[in-house]
Amino acid sequence: MTGNAPDDPTPSGPRPAAAGSTTTRRRREPSAHRIPAGRPDTRPSTAPALRRRTAAAVRRQPAGAWLTGVAAALLYTVFSVAQWNRLDAPSWDLGIFTQLAKAYAGVGAPIVPIKGEDFNLLGDHFHPLLVLLGPAYALAPSGLTLLVVQNLLFGLSVAVVARTGVRLLGSAAGLVVGIAYALSWGLQSAVAAQFHEIAFAVPLLALSLEAVLARRVLPAVLWGGLLVFVKEDLGLTVMALGLVLAWRLRTVAGLWLAAWGALWLVLSVRVILPALNTAGQYDYADRIDAGAMIADPAGAVVDLLTGTAKHETLLLLLLAGGVLFLRSPLSLVLLPTLLWRFASGQEVYWGPEWHYSAVLMPVLFLGLVDGVRSLRTSPRRWVRSAALLGVPAAVAACLVLLPSQKFAALAEPETYRQSARWDAAHRMMGLVPEGATVESGVVLMAYLVPETRVYWLGNTNPAPDYLVVDADDWSWGPTRPADAEAHAEQRFPGTDYTLVFDEAGYQLVRLER
């Protein structure tokens, strides 16, 4: 073909090398990990992705559940502050745990002189998780801080129970369950009894059981596994929780969790507690007569269910849980706590008072949520109809019980009145120098701990720098010393004490050296 072709078929890009050429030009493509010069890095960053995931997780949270938890924590704190201002101290636990928190804040061993000179509280009960109280106490050194911490932990558990209810039963039913749980008799009694280590167990149980219901094995194991570091008897609860997890989700991880609970139960009771105890023993080993139970198992079963206080506890559980909690295998997690309490010879464990039933409440109400959810899916119409009664029954029980529970006091104006002895008490405590040793009854111990080394009057103590006689302190029993100087010198022979304060039923004496 002659002449010029109308179109040039040769591409304008690089031409192929001539045949036989020893140099072949190759086009280099930028590496996937190389940023071409002059061009910005357009690869997605992990930080924005993490922020997006976090924001999405927050958006998925039911706001009503968290508002319920916050409202519950505020209600509990109103009760606690009013109690604190009234100088109301129902037990010595708050003073003891305030000393523990003070020791942890100072990065020291939990030595608690209220229990005895050089007494390590880890030799009383196994609760290493309470080291978390140290930072909170360092920020606000007061016994009231511990009450607020407990209220926040309980409030967290309320949010978790309400969140689970919303996700499994719907918004209205879920929030109602959360409110009924927040006002449950077990939590009310625990708030009124003031701080105890079970404050940490309540949200951990709620989080672990929530994960079981969501079929999330790892969170269930992790949250549940921490319970062994709250109190030694919770090893039994972890064993039950692990078995329920293994059966419910058909996972061997549940069996490992049960073994973990058994391991720490044995280690704490047989090794750790005796090693740290001043008497070289587990102080609560005699609370249950295991030998007698083994020798007479039939009688042991009868004894487990004998006692008005035990019947009251069981009845309140049935009412508060709307009965339908029994439909859920989660209810089996209630058994270890109920068994050791009812098997004990100490009647104080049997009834609904104090803090002993707080750990039962998240199990009870999440069991109710699970029971109602399972009944709703039944092919039988009458069973589905019964599911409609569970939540209303629990709410009705909550409302009926409220007037007889601890929070009924919040409706009384005198609840919010500061003690008439408040000013005198604080002026007297202000006379005790920082770092001094002082012997006191229960009522003022938690108030004295931040500035002084406190002993309880019921123990054998070294002669303190100061001694308080409070005419209204129930620690004295029926007989209170009329003359604090004479009492102190008789209690610590060879000493000389001088009265430095005498007002509003308070006497403070100082050791003369």
Side-chain angles (χ1 to χ4, degrees):
M1 183 175 180
T2 60
N4 295 330
D7 296 308
D8 186 358
T10 304
S12 59
R15 297 177 182 271
S21 171
T22 57
T23 58
T24 303
R25 297 174 62 191
R26 294 191 307 172
R27 184 178 180 181
R28 295 180 63 187
E29 298 294 337
S31 167
H33 301 288
R34 187 189 304 274
I35 307 301
R39 293 181 59 185
D41 184 357
T42 57
R43 290 175 299 167
S45 171
T46 57
L50 179 60
R51 286 196 295 268
R52 286 194 296 272
R53 287 195 296 269
T54 302
V58 170
R59 285 194 296 271
R60 287 195 299 270
Q61 294 293 318
W66 287 100
L67 288 174
T68 303
V70 170
L74 289 174
L75 179 67
Y76 302 154
T77 301
V78 167
F79 185 96
S80 295
V81 170
Q83 195 181 43
W84 179 264
N85 289 336
R86 293 195 312 271
L87 301 176
D88 186 356
S91 79
W92 68 345
D93 283 339
L94 182 59
I96 288 171
F97 288 113
T98 303
Q99 275 190 334
L100 170 139
K102 180 181 179 180
Y104 279 141
V107 197
I111 303 301
V112 176
I114 288 173
K115 291 280 288 186
E117 182 72 353
D118 296 325
F119 189 96
N120 189 327
L121 204 62
L122 281 174
D124 185 51
H125 286 299
F126 185 64
H127 40 50
L129 201 61
L130 293 193
V131 71
L132 297 176
L133 293 174
Y137 185 88
L139 288 173
S142 169
L144 183 59
T145 299
L146 273 66
L147 300 181
V148 173
V149 168
Q150 176 169 270
N151 295 337
L152 291 174
L153 290 169
F154 285 174
L156 172 60
S157 77
V158 171
V160 172
V161 170
R163 177 174 68 184
T164 307
V166 167
R167 289 174 174 170
L168 298 183
L169 303 181
S171 295
L175 291 178
V176 166
V177 168
I179 293 170
Y181 167 73
L183 298 175
S184 61
W185 56 271
L187 291 188
Q188 287 193 47
S189 295
V191 170
Q194 300 186 333
F195 187 87
H196 198 271
E197 62 252 67
I198 53 87
F200 287 90
V202 172
L204 287 175
L205 267 170
L207 288 164
S208 182
L209 293 173
E210 177 193 39
V212 172
L213 295 181
R215 306 188 67 82
R216 299 171 61 216
V217 174
L218 183 59
V221 170
L222 291 178
W223 293 122
L226 288 174
L227 287 166
V228 299
F229 303 123
V230 176
K231 195 163 175 274
E232 66 276 4
D233 64 86
L234 288 170
L236 294 168
T237 298
V238 172
M239 291 168 62
L241 177 61
L243 294 176
V244 168
L245 177 64
W247 181 80
R248 177 81 177 239
L249 302 186
R250 301 296 191 269
T251 174
V252 71
L255 299 179
W256 283 111
L257 180 60
W260 172 263
L263 171 66
W264 280 100
L265 174 65
V266 174
L267 277 177
S268 60
V269 170
R270 303 289 295 178
V271 180
I272 299 173
L273 289 168
L276 296 176
N277 188 277
T278 53
Q281 63 183 15
Y282 176 48
D283 284 340
Y284 305 92
D286 61 348
R287 299 298 169 94
I288 298 175
D289 190 346
M293 295 178 70
I294 295 172
D296 183 12
V301 172
V302 172
D303 288 342
L304 279 175
L305 300 175
T306 301
T308 303
K310 297 175 185 178
H311 301 159
E312 184 180 0
T313 298
L314 293 174
L315 177 61
L316 287 174
L317 287 171
L318 287 171
L319 291 174
V323 180
L324 294 186
F325 72 93
L326 293 171
R327 179 67 176 76
S328 170
L330 267 59
S331 60
L332 296 174
V333 182
L334 297 169
L335 292 180
T337 297
L338 289 174
L339 287 175
W340 77 254
R341 286 173 58 187
F342 289 179
S344 172
Q346 303 290 318
E347 295 187 17
V348 69
Y349 295 153
W350 299 352
E353 299 84 11
W354 301 102
H355 54 270
Y356 300 109
S357 295
V359 295
L360 302 177
M361 296 298 106
V363 183
L364 187 72
F365 282 85
L366 288 173
L368 170 63
V369 169
D370 186 40
V372 170
R373 192 260 308 258
S374 66
L375 291 178
R376 283 180 174 181
T377 61
S378 173
R380 297 180 179 85
R381 177 178 296 180
W382 69 270
V383 174
R384 295 196 301 273
S385 299
L388 299 175
L389 303 177
V391 174
V395 172
C398 174
L399 295 175
V400 169
L401 293 172
L402 270 180
S404 63
Q405 298 302 310
K406 301 296 184 180
F407 287 2
L410 293 174
E412 302 170 1
E414 56 267 26
T415 296
Y416 306 96
R417 296 192 183 114
Q418 191 176 70
S419 170
R421 308 171 74 216
W422 176 271
D423 289 339
H426 282 77
R427 280 189 282 108
M428 178 192 68
M429 290 187 287
L431 297 175
V432 182
E434 183 176 355
T437 57
V438 56
E439 184 177 278
S440 169
V442 165
V443 174
L444 292 181
M445 288 195 309
Y447 302 84
L448 286 162
V449 164
E451 301 294 334
T452 65
R453 182 179 178 87
V454 181
Y455 298 105
W456 179 56
L457 59 83
N459 289 332
T460 301
N461 304 313
D465 300 323
Y466 290 83
L467 186 146
V468 175
V469 172
D470 177 359
D472 289 349
D473 194 314
W474 51 267
S475 307
W476 297 103
T479 305
R480 291 159 172 77
D483 186 332
E485 284 188 20
H487 164 74
E489 291 168 1
Q490 180 180 12
R491 176 164 168 74
F492 302 102
T495 59
D496 179 20
Y497 280 88
T498 300
L499 182 70
V500 295
F501 187 91
D502 187 0
E503 184 181 335
Y506 294 116
Q507 293 181 68
L508 178 69
V509 293
R510 181 183 63 228
L511 177 64
E512 300 298 335
R513 300 190 182 277

